[in-house]
Amino acid sequence: MSSHQHQHQHQHHADSSSGGHPAATDIDWDALAPVLESGAEMHRPLSAQAAAWVAEELPAEDVRRVFDIGSGPGVLTCLLAETFPYAEVVAVDATPQLLDRVRARAVRSGLGDRVRVHAAEAPDGLEELGTADLIWAGNSVHHMGDQRRALAAFAARLRPGGLIAVLEGGLQARHLPRDIGIGRPGLESRIDGASSVWFEEMRAALPGYTATVEHWPALLAAAGLSDARSRSFLLDIPAPLTAAQREQLVSAFSWLRSVVEGRLDGDDLSVIDRLLDPDDEQGLMHRPDSFLLTARTVHTARSTGS
Ligand SMILES: C[S@@+](CC[C@H](N)C(=O)[O-])C[C@H]1O[C@@H](n2cnc3c(N)ncnc32)[C@H](O)[C@@H]1O
């Protein structure tokens, strides 16, 4: 479920009639919602470590408002509400259907009175929210054309002493051994290469795209924030995966297949098709060697403004 430095699941309008042409880079977030939600659930142990680290920087009793920008279906929103039990948490997303999922999840989790939603195409539309003690942006800044402008807009919404936590980058996820017994060894490395090309094209097509050196601590400093720190968190789910985890893996590889269409050779695409085939004994639903190993990095910085 990763494109380059983009370790989450996307679905998009892959045009199967396009033959060998590279896949488009627009993302249909609404169609992606179920896989985004199950993926975030699978990553919950990693997210919990990250949230606990952020909580070390901010005493829970001081945190009264949290914004989760690019919340997706709200797995992290609810985790943040649990981590900061005195806070109102506002999930901000550009896709209303995802915000419906946030609401439903919050109510199911008994957090309905503290979790609000706000539809906005960030970094626009944040002013009306007022300010927050913590702004979390998980794998969302890279969907904004001008990442510097986005961070500056977030920084402007922080209370003095408040913290920004940006989850961006880490290590490419691994799900299979280097040699899986079918096709040429090293399939996942080649998928990484192809998906990183897709990722750059996806970014370049965003409105207001501005090329940016993705040195997150420096970008946070440029937004007027101080005391930047970075830390990475590991997710290690060894083989054998459960049936539910395998289904998640199939969704992730389906997404990856759409991303690498036209960017990998036909032999590799055929191997991916075998992995996705529920009736193939070498497929992801049957093979005993699949796993999930990944790391994600969280970058924090503090507002010193008054
Ligand atoms: C990869 S998902 C991450 C979801 C969630 N933060 C997580 O870590 O599981 C990116 C999310 O950002 C949202 N998004 C993309 N561009 C956005 C924008 N300009 N403003 C607000 N949300 C945006 C998408 O709708 C999607 O829900």
Side-chain angles (χ1 to χ4, degrees), residues 66-78:
V66 176
F67 300 161
D68 179 9
I69 299 182
S71 63
V75 176
L76 262 291
T77 314
C78 290

Side-chain angles (χ1 to χ4, degrees), residues 147-181:
Q147 298 180 111
R148 281 177 181 273
R149 181 177 158 242
L151 294 180
F154 300 172
R157 306 261 58 83
L158 265 191
R159 292 176 182 163
L163 203 73
I164 281 187
V166 176
L167 189 152
E168 288 288 343
L171 293 175
Q172 290 293 79
R174 282 289 174 269
H175 314 88
L176 290 165
R178 188 190 68 88
D179 188 337
I180 59 173

Side-chain angles (χ1 to χ4, degrees), residues 6 8-10 29 32 36 40 68-76 92-95 98 120-123 136-140 142-144 167 296:
H6 197 239
H8 48 69
Q9 294 165 346
H10 290 168
W29 292 109
L32 180 60
L36 207 56
D68 179 9
I69 299 182
S71 63
V75 176
L76 262 291
V92 179
D93 206 282
T95 306
L98 288 170
E121 189 83 40
W136 176 279
N139 270 324
S140 57
H142 64 245
H143 293 295
M144 300 171 197
L167 189 152
R296 294 185 179 176

Side-chain angles (χ1 to χ4, degrees), residues 204-223:
L206 290 172
Y209 167 71
T210 308
T212 309
V213 175
E214 290 167 351
H215 178 200
W216 295 100
L219 291 172
L220 291 167

Side-chain angles (χ1 to χ4, degrees), residues 178-266:
R178 188 190 68 88
D179 188 337
I180 59 173
I182 49 174
R184 199 155 50 95
L187 175 67
E188 283 199 289
S189 299
R190 292 191 294 284
I191 291 176
D192 290 350
S195 60
S196 78
V197 173
W198 174 90
F199 184 85
E200 190 43 39
E201 290 173 9
M202 179 279 294
R203 277 212 40 76
L206 290 172
Y209 167 71
T210 308
T212 309
V213 175
E214 290 167 351
H215 178 200
W216 295 100
L219 291 172
L220 291 167
L225 302 168
S226 62
D227 198 18
R229 294 169 197 212
S230 303
R231 190 151 154 205
S232 296
F233 302 92
L234 189 73
L235 183 66
D236 176 13
I237 304 179
L241 297 181
T242 64
Q245 289 166 338
R246 285 162 189 275
E247 279 169 21
Q248 178 59 31
L249 201 55
V250 168
S251 301
F253 269 76
S254 300
W255 157 250
L256 281 171
R257 193 199 186 294
S258 70
V259 162
V260 300
E261 172 91 48
R263 297 184 171 91
L264 277 189
D265 68 30

Side-chain angles (χ1 to χ4, degrees), residues 2-16:
S2 56
S3 58
H4 182 65
Q5 298 294 310
H6 197 239
Q7 300 177 6
H8 48 69
Q9 294 165 346
H10 290 168
Q11 204 91 341
H12 72 118
H13 304 293
D15 177 3
S16 56

